[in-house]
């Protein structure tokens, strides 16, 4: 088996760098206010509807992307793929040929690097949201990142699929303002069908983060005739009715960016509104359709 460039666990030894896929300076969908979103590389879930599958795995340096790069932004040096960002035209042909759900276009960044990249955005943002991939793979690094942005007067949120237990990462949980948690399916079998892994840790995180007032939002992607959406919405809502400050976001599945394409239907507005009514009838205070 080919070896990856690095393991995400490597970055938690000294917590000085994180492998960043991309940074969006301004976002209005990743938490309250105007936020900067930082996407980290690597995830253990293999969601069939993943809209950014190139964030899932670490590059194995196979070199397939080098051959299709039209600007010479990619090269193979000493067995490693090197990306020259200055030459990159952002055509994403490298992503199209990658069969490993990865990308050569990642950057090892320090906290200072990220602050510098967001320099012109800082006066205009409420805070940052870390995402992925799965951001908690870099829990010690993002703890330091959150601490720095708190010093700058900004809030710090984590958009997570709940793969790792937050109660086992108190350094991160204490420094984090809030989390946004994906609950993809309530059924263990359905969750495993969708992601390749079970959801016991996800559900445990749901209860834990809600109990300690660290959960801003729960998110569920709705796919008709594939997931048991009614079961998931019902069970999530039974918990959320006891936490009126936590909102529930129901996300309509869209096929854009998904590869390979899922042969499933896009939920209708009528169906989404029916699920919203189900949640509100159970007692959820705020339900958002996205």
């Amino acid at each position: 088996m080919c070896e990856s460039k690095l393991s995400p666990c490597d970055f938690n030894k000294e917590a000085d760098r994180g492998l960043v896929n991309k940074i969006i300076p301004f976002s209005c969908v990743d938490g309250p206010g105007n936020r900067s979103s930082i996407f980290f590389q690597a995830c253990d879930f293999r969601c069939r509807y993943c809209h950014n599958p190139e964030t899932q795995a670490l590059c194995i340096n196979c070199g397939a992307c080098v051959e299709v790069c039209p600007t010479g932004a990619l090269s193979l040096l000493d067995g490693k793929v090197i990306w020259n960002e200055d030459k990159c035209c952002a055509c994403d042909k490298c992503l199209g040929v990658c069969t490993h759900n990865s990308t050569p276009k990642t950057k090892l960044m320090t906290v200072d690097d990220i602050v510098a990249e967001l320099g012109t955005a800082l006066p205009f943002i409420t805070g940052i949201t870390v995402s992925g991939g799965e951001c908690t793979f870099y829990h010690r690094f993002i703890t330091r990142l959150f601490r720095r942005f708190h010093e700058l007067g900004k809030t710090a949120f984590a958009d997570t699929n709940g793969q790792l237990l937050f109660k086992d990462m108190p350094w991160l949980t204490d420094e984090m303002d809030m989390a946004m948690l994906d609950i993809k399916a309530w059924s263990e079998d359905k969750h495993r069908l969708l992601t390749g892994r079970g959801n016991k840790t996800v559900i445990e995180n749901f209860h834990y983060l809600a109990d300690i007032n660290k959960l801003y939002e729960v998110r569920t992607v709705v796919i008709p005739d594939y997931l048991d959406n009614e079961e998931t919405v019902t069970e999530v809502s039974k918990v959320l009715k006891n936490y009126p400050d936590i909102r529930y976001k129901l996300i309509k599945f869209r096929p854009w960016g998904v590869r390979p394409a899922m042969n499933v239907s896009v939920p209708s507005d009528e169906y989404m509104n029916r699920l919203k009514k189900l949640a509100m009838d159970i007692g959820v205070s705020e339900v958002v359709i996205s």
Side-chain angles (χ1 to χ4, degrees):
M1 180 180 293
C2 295
E3 294 293 325
S4 299
K5 284 182 179 177
L6 294 163
S7 162
C9 296
D10 292 339
F11 302 117
N12 284 318
K13 293 176 182 176
E14 298 180 2
D16 60 341
R17 298 183 299 172
L19 191 62
V20 175
N21 178 282
K22 63 182 175 182
I23 296 177
I24 299 176
F26 298 108
S27 171
C28 60
V29 296
D30 293 305
N34 190 15
R35 312 188 68 77
S36 294
S37 296
I38 304 155
F39 293 79
F40 288 88
Q41 188 73 16
C43 179
D44 275 349
F45 284 2
R46 293 294 179 262
C47 301
R48 297 194 61 195
Y49 61 51
C50 184
H51 286 80
N52 51 352
E54 71 279 0
T55 66
Q56 290 181 3
L58 300 178
C59 176
I60 65 167
N61 299 296
C62 68
C65 55
V66 175
E67 299 174 8
V68 300
C69 180
T71 63
L74 298 173
S75 58
L76 198 60
L77 181 65
D78 296 329
K80 291 187 177 182
V81 174
I82 306 300
W83 175 49
N84 185 330
E85 188 175 5
D86 293 335
K87 291 184 178 181
C88 183
C89 65
C91 67
D92 285 346
K93 288 185 178 179
C94 53
L95 305 186
V97 300
C98 182
T99 59
H100 306 290
N101 287 348
S102 188
T103 173
K105 300 190 296 182
T106 56
K107 292 191 287 186
L108 274 172
M109 301 184 75
T110 65
V111 170
D112 287 340
D113 292 334
I114 293 174
V115 171
E117 182 150 334
L118 291 175
T120 57
L122 285 176
F124 308 102
I125 61 172
T126 307
I128 61 167
T129 298
V130 294
S131 186
E134 175 48 38
C135 59
T136 58
F137 278 160
Y138 304 88
H139 51 88
R140 293 199 180 273
F141 176 76
I142 63 175
T143 298
R144 293 181 58 192
L145 183 68
F146 284 178
R147 188 173 300 122
R148 173 68 67 84
F149 275 87
H150 282 147
E151 292 170 354
L152 295 171
K154 309 300 179 181
T155 58
F157 280 48
D159 181 357
T160 176
N161 60 30
Q163 289 180 226
L164 301 180
L165 282 173
F166 276 84
K167 72 176 184 180
D168 291 342
M169 302 179 288
W171 45 89
L172 171 60
T173 307
D174 291 345
E175 195 67 44
M176 173 183 74
D177 290 299
M178 288 282 176
M180 296 177 289
L181 177 67
D182 294 334
I183 298 185
K184 303 171 186 297
W186 194 264
S187 159
E188 174 87 6
D189 291 340
K190 286 291 186 181
H191 194 276
R192 195 173 294 279
L193 173 68
L194 178 67
T195 71
R197 290 181 176 265
N199 65 350
K200 288 184 172 61
T201 299
V202 179
I203 302 303
E204 186 173 347
N205 274 324
F206 179 27
H207 290 286
Y208 175 70
L209 292 170
D211 284 343
I212 65 172
N213 195 29
K214 289 279 188 172
L215 189 56
Y216 172 75
E217 174 181 273
V218 174
R219 298 172 167 183
T220 296
V221 175
V222 175
I223 309 180
D225 304 320
Y226 184 79
L227 297 175
D228 192 337
N229 305 291
E230 287 80 4
E231 177 191 47
T232 299
V233 171
T234 296
E235 297 304 322
V236 170
S237 298
K238 286 179 181 178
V239 177
L240 289 183
K241 71 178 182 180
N242 299 310
Y243 302 94
D245 293 332
I246 304 173
R247 74 176 190 170
Y248 194 12
K249 179 179 281 189
L250 301 176
I251 302 173
K252 179 186 291 191
F253 167 77
R254 298 170 177 88
W256 309 316
V258 178
R259 62 175 196 263
M262 292 185 71
N263 186 26
V264 295
S265 59
V266 175
S268 66
D269 290 342
E270 178 186 7
Y271 183 59
M272 296 297 294
N273 281 312
R274 192 158 70 243
L275 291 177
K276 177 179 179 178
K277 184 177 185 303
L278 172 62
M280 296 191 75
D281 286 347
I282 291 172
V284 181
S285 297
E286 182 180 3
V287 184
V288 178
I289 294 176
S290 173

